[in-house]
Amino acid sequence: MTTTTAAQHTPAPETGSQGPGALPLPERAAEALVLAGGLGTIVSAFMSWTWTSDFPGDLTVYGYPAGLQIIALVAGALTLLFGLGRRHIRGLGWLNPARSANPVFLAALAAFVVTWFSALAIAIDLGGLVNLDPGAYVAAAAGLIAVLGALGLPHEGTNVKAYFTKADHIPRAALPAPWAQRVIITLCAALALVAFSYGIGIDDDDSETFIGFALLVIFAAWALNAAGLFERFSELNGRHKGFATGMAFLAAVAFPFTQSDDHNANLGVNILIFGTVALGLNIVVGLTGLLDLGYVAFLGVGAYAAALVSGSQYSSIHIQFPFWAAVLTGMAASLVFGVLIGAPTLRLRGDYLAIVTLGFGEIFRIAVNNLDGSSGPDVTNGPNGISNIPDLNLFGFNFGNAHDLGGFTIGRFANYFFLMLLFTAIVVFVFKRAADSRIGRSWVAIREDETAATAMGINGFRVKLIAFALGATLAGLAGTVSAHVTYSVVPTPYQFAGAAPPNSAFLLAAVVLGGMGTVGGPILGAVLLYLIPEKLGFLQNYELLAFGIALILLMRFRPEGIIPNRRRQLEFHETGQLDVPEDGLPAGTVGVTKAEA
């Protein structure tokens, strides 16, 4: 953590010299435009943007921001703060330690994109520019002024593209006292909770506000990364891993208390189920390098096994296990299927293994669809599935009833959210311990080069079978909760693609999008892939097209995923900067080549 490179000691570039891509503006004038644009965006949020309340969010009130106005207000504040931070105004210099124009430009671009999107959305939805009030014009003008000012700031590089990259010379941070580091971690966890709660709380029919929120998150995260703040925060997490994990868990626990609608808690519990299954798939794909295209079948095995012993009147065996026994039954059933499928197929590699796992997924869906007593034995009730699964009752606590806790009403889905959060924590613990163990290192060796790993004495078949079985077991664990949350289990969701997530395609996309081999990557991928279709209803018929385009762009510009694993990042970027200081090289190290690593 204390090692530095020569690049870190290189002084920051002179702020008086402009790069070839900068506009011909004096630096002071450019800074003034950035600050004026940010301030103007903030002011515009307190003005009326349209005369009618027909547009979502009611943007007609002066002095009371709502909807897109709140998002523009945050974007303007970021622009103002990064603009002041570039001059290292007392107390704000930490925002832009390299005094780079890049994060200022990206923050200004966030304000520009949000305000112009808002103005265009109002004009298109309501039928013309005549529906814009003065506040919308002020917001659009302020966003444009901020971007023009940022483009006039001096920067390193030969063209405008340089504004979108991270500064080359970011100095190491002078870390505060340990207690202050913990305060920073706590505040960041609280900020993440506020952002997630706001995003998930946007009405499902208010797609305009959610798009504006998504644009703000993308460009704000881009700006923070360009300023090197993600690296510094990751270094703090590395110094206080246990505390950071605890704060993240507490922030998740606090989520249901921030929502007045239990529907949002339903989204939360389904995201946790999706994320937990993606973590299990991450063992198979991310750590071991086995392409599994039928993984969702193990979720279905766990769900059906739990449903059969749940006491439902539609269960073919008519027995009811305690929940802990139902959980073990679902996990054991998935484990057995994982071993039965893995034992004869894991001697295959690459595309051949992918085809076999894809076939297994389809075989499972077709089998449970036909086990209805007419085309096969009466086990799963065929296409009708197993319905009326009773709610859990643990130690007298009925998960189907609302409960009052400290003045807050905790609904049915919030109850299951807490239960699934506990299971997610268990899965994260298992994943981390397994990845850091001897068997985890064997998985990575198999992923990198199975032939070389076998030559070094690793039993490739046994190691891959353990990964397959463990991943299947974790999926079965999530399936037991999924069966009770949804009240029923039907064959439709357990297919490769086409149904709402989780299906195999979306699970694999969550792992690749978030970052293979990491803990946070699949969970973040699950959040994005579950929440975006839920909030953007007009994409319902184009989900696969939209996510296909997103994955293409990701593979082009960030193939290692949003939250990269260090080893994979070095593989994809020969001279790239390390965004996430995980195990290995010191945080804050920049300009490290693959050979040097």
Side-chain angles (χ1 to χ4, degrees):
M1 300 297 293
T2 59
T3 306
T4 60
T5 64
Q8 292 172 313
H9 298 291
T10 304
E14 293 294 331
T15 56
S17 60
Q18 291 184 330
L23 295 177
L25 290 174
E27 184 178 355
R28 292 291 185 181
E31 289 179 345
L33 287 178
V34 171
L35 298 180
L39 186 60
T41 305
I42 295 174
V43 172
S44 71
F46 293 89
M47 303 173 66
S48 173
W49 285 14
T50 183
W51 61 273
T52 174
S53 59
D54 291 340
F55 188 81
D58 193 4
L59 311 182
T60 63
V61 182
Y62 278 85
Y64 190 80
L68 286 168
Q69 292 172 326
I70 295 177
I71 296 170
L73 174 64
V74 175
L78 282 175
T79 304
L80 190 63
L81 289 174
F82 272 112
L84 293 173
R86 184 177 179 276
R87 298 304 303 169
H88 278 205
I89 301 298
R90 183 175 180 83
L92 295 177
W94 59 271
L95 276 172
N96 194 352
R99 300 191 181 188
S100 170
N102 303 25
V104 180
F105 169 75
L106 291 168
L109 191 60
F112 172 80
V113 171
V114 168
T115 54
W116 280 69
F117 165 77
S118 302
L120 291 174
I122 293 172
I124 293 172
D125 285 3
L126 301 181
L129 295 175
V130 68
N131 295 286
L132 296 177
D133 271 3
Y137 289 105
V138 172
L144 179 60
I145 289 172
V147 167
L148 292 176
L151 286 173
L153 294 174
H155 73 289
E156 297 179 346
T158 59
N159 50 43
V160 177
K161 293 181 180 179
Y163 282 108
F164 294 91
T165 59
K166 187 186 298 184
D168 289 335
H169 310 293
I170 300 178
R172 289 292 299 270
L175 296 178
W179 67 267
Q181 297 176 28
R182 292 184 173 89
V183 170
I184 293 173
I185 293 173
T186 303
L187 292 177
C188 289
L191 181 62
L193 173 62
V194 170
F196 180 76
S197 299
Y198 181 84
I200 203 172
I202 297 174
D203 292 337
D204 293 349
D205 57 353
D206 189 0
S207 58
E208 295 86 353
T209 302
F210 187 81
I211 292 175
F213 172 76
L215 291 172
L216 173 63
V217 170
I218 290 171
F219 284 100
W222 203 344
L224 293 172
N225 181 62
L229 296 183
F230 281 165
E231 281 187 356
R232 296 191 169 192
F233 180 70
S234 296
E235 182 173 359
L236 294 183
N237 278 346
R239 291 174 176 267
H240 307 281
K241 287 184 179 180
F243 181 80
T245 302
M247 292 311 303
F249 183 79
L250 288 179
V253 169
F255 164 72
F257 298 98
T258 66
Q259 305 298 311
S260 58
D261 187 355
D262 201 39
H263 170 68
N264 296 332
N266 181 27
L267 296 179
V269 70
N270 281 286
I271 288 173
L272 286 179
I273 292 173
F274 191 4
T276 300
V277 179
L279 271 175
L281 180 60
N282 199 22
I283 294 177
V284 179
V285 176
L287 293 181
T288 318
L290 305 176
L291 183 55
D292 188 347
L293 299 182
Y295 185 76
V296 74
F298 296 121
L299 174 68
V301 170
Y304 267 99
L308 287 171
V309 298
S310 65
S312 169
Q313 59 181 321
Y314 295 98
S315 170
S316 59
I317 59 178
H318 304 294
I319 61 175
Q320 183 170 4
F321 284 0
F323 178 63
W324 63 267
V327 169
L328 293 178
T329 301
M331 294 174 65
S334 296
L335 172 63
V336 169
F337 271 86
V339 173
L340 290 178
I341 298 302
T345 62
L346 287 178
R347 300 186 188 278
L348 301 173
R349 298 188 188 182
D351 298 339
Y352 300 100
L353 177 62
I355 292 172
V356 170
T357 55
L358 177 61
F360 164 66
E362 289 303 301
I363 289 171
F364 169 78
R365 181 180 61 84
I366 295 172
V368 297
N369 202 48
N370 290 329
L371 296 177
D372 58 356
S374 58
S375 25
D378 185 10
V379 179
T380 64
N381 205 24
N384 296 322
I386 303 173
S387 57
N388 287 350
I389 298 175
D391 281 306
L392 298 178
N393 194 314
L394 297 178
F395 307 109
F397 184 91
N398 191 318
F399 281 71
N401 298 332
H403 300 83
D404 290 330
L405 183 62
F408 294 92
T409 300
I410 305 300
R412 175 181 183 271
F413 291 116
N415 295 331
Y416 282 106
F417 177 86
F418 290 130
L419 176 64
M420 195 61 222
L421 184 61
L422 176 61
F423 284 167
T424 302
I426 294 173
V427 171
V428 169
F429 175 79
V430 171
F431 181 92
K432 288 290 293 181
R433 297 296 295 175
D436 295 337
S437 68
R438 181 178 179 181
I439 191 68
R441 293 192 293 271
S442 298
W443 289 337
V444 174
I446 291 291
R447 183 191 70 193
E448 297 300 321
D449 192 326
E450 184 173 351
T451 302
T454 304
M456 298 304 294
I458 295 176
N459 187 330
F461 172 75
R462 182 177 65 86
V463 167
K464 290 190 293 183
L465 186 60
I466 291 174
F468 213 73
L470 179 58
T473 304
L474 297 182
L477 172 63
T480 60
V481 179
S482 175
H484 289 85
V485 171
T486 58
Y487 281 127
S488 64
V489 180
V490 293
T492 307
Y494 308 113
Q495 53 185 298
F496 174 70
N503 55 56
S504 291
F506 276 74
L507 287 169
L508 184 61
V511 174
V512 175
L513 176 69
M516 292 190 291
T518 64
V519 173
I523 295 177
L524 177 59
V527 171
L528 296 177
L529 294 181
Y530 196 93
L531 196 58
I532 291 177
E534 183 73 24
K535 297 299 181 180
L536 301 182
F538 64 88
L539 283 178
Q540 186 173 7
N541 296 326
Y542 307 97
E543 288 181 8
L544 293 179
L545 174 63
F547 289 123
I549 295 174
L551 286 174
I552 290 173
L553 294 175
L554 186 74
M555 292 301 100
R556 170 59 183 85
F557 297 104
R558 197 174 178 86
E560 68 273 22
I562 298 175
I563 301 178
N565 174 273
R566 174 176 302 280
R567 182 180 290 105
R568 296 187 64 83
Q569 192 173 26
L570 286 172
E571 292 173 356
F572 285 115
H573 301 283
E574 293 289 338
T575 58
Q577 295 175 345
L578 301 179
D579 293 338
V580 181
E582 295 179 355
D583 307 332
L585 298 177
T589 303
V590 297
V592 180
T593 66
K594 183 177 179 180
E596 292 170 342

